Amino acid sequence: MNAMERNRLSQEAGLQIKALKQINRWKLTALLVSAVGAACTYGGFAGIQKHLFLGIPGIVLILAGFGSAAVCNLGLKNGRRNVEKMLNILDGEG
């Protein structure tokens, strides 16, 4: 591998690491949405009076947040594996 290819691969690995950090922030935001959904669900269904206008959207938020976090987590796992492969190539291991 010549120097230009190594430089390009190194830059690509750096850009992917930066993207992984952004995906991790999205995952944390999705978990926050899920937590807000749990609070809305609790507020809607707990207590003497039941408020469906809080409870049902809360359930939707929980499911959407959890699903989004799961997709982001899968992307993080695959992205880290890809960056690890790039760094192994740069180190000359394979």
Side-chain angles (χ1 to χ4, degrees):
M1 176 181 297
N2 63 26
M4 191 167 85
E5 288 175 346
R6 289 182 66 81
N7 187 24
R8 193 172 16 177
L9 190 60
S10 176
Q11 287 177 344
E12 179 64 27
L15 289 173
Q16 286 195 15
I17 289 171
K18 185 178 177 183
L20 287 172
K21 289 179 184 178
Q22 180 66 39
I23 293 171
N24 192 41
R25 284 190 289 264
W26 290 343
K27 182 181 83 168
L28 294 176
T29 302
L31 290 174
L32 177 67
V33 167
S34 184
V36 168
C40 287
T41 303
Y42 180 76
F45 292 135
I48 296 171
Q49 289 185 339
K50 310 294 187 232
H51 299 284
L52 290 179
F53 71 92
L54 260 180
I56 293 174
I59 292 172
V60 172
L61 284 175
I62 290 171
L63 295 175
F66 184 74
S68 299
V71 169
C72 288
N73 196 41
L74 180 64
L76 283 170
K77 183 177 113 179
N78 291 337
R80 286 183 186 131
R81 190 175 344 147
N82 190 34
V83 169
E84 184 179 319
K85 287 179 184 177
M86 283 186 206
L87 294 177
N88 285 340
I89 290 171
L90 285 174
D91 288 341
E93 292 179 10

